[in-house]
Amino acid sequence: MNSPTLNVRFFATDSGNEPVREWLKTLTASERRTIGEDIKTVQFGWPLGMPLVRKLAKDLWEVRVHVIDRIARILFTVVGHTMVLLHGFIKKSQATPPEELDVAKRRLKQLRSAS
């Protein structure tokens, strides 16, 4: 089996919380599996574009996941050879809500200031 193009890690807050991991725990097992498979597709196939991955802003992309009856989004950045999962949410409207984007951008800033 080929080795992945990207490693994957969860963004961690200063206090050590991993918000995306916590969010994933609130989903059903089948939703987590689907999200995991899509993240793995990105991990092995990077760089990817639509329909799975869409660029949102400089250094910020989303994995577009279709789970049963819902749409999930995982917002991430790439640092070196690592995909850092910044934010995850269930999408309720066509457009990515600005507040969800803001969360990811804030975490991206934190990530940069930490390194």
Side-chain angles (χ1 to χ4, degrees):
M1 187 162 162
N2 294 339
S3 58
T5 307
L6 297 174
N7 298 309
V8 175
R9 74 178 173 92
F10 291 97
F11 166 81
T13 62
D14 292 338
S15 57
N17 293 340
E18 295 174 324
V20 177
R21 189 189 299 267
E22 298 304 317
W23 171 75
L24 285 168
K25 288 178 184 169
T26 68
L27 304 176
T28 67
S30 74
E31 288 173 331
R32 284 196 303 270
R33 191 176 317 107
T34 302
I35 290 168
E37 286 165 2
D38 283 353
I39 287 171
K40 192 172 177 183
T41 300
V42 175
Q43 193 183 358
F44 280 83
W46 184 256
L48 291 174
M50 294 286 278
L52 185 61
V53 176
R54 185 167 74 108
K55 185 166 187 160
L56 297 175
K58 183 178 183 336
D59 299 331
L60 191 61
W61 292 265
E62 66 178 359
V63 182
R64 305 154 55 87
V65 186
H66 293 272
V67 290
I68 304 159
D69 301 329
R70 306 200 290 178
I71 295 173
R73 293 288 187 261
I74 308 287
L75 306 187
F76 71 97
T77 191
V78 175
V79 179
H81 292 285
T82 303
M83 174 182 188
V84 182
L85 308 181
L86 296 170
H87 185 44
F89 62 98
I90 296 293
K91 210 167 154 190
K92 296 177 176 72
S93 61
Q94 265 318 103
T96 298
E99 60 274 15
E100 303 288 6
L101 201 52
D102 289 345
V103 170
K105 285 179 174 172
R106 253 196 331 274
R107 290 177 183 162
L108 180 58
K109 272 200 190 106
Q110 282 178 293
L111 191 66
R112 286 196 178 127
S113 63
S115 53

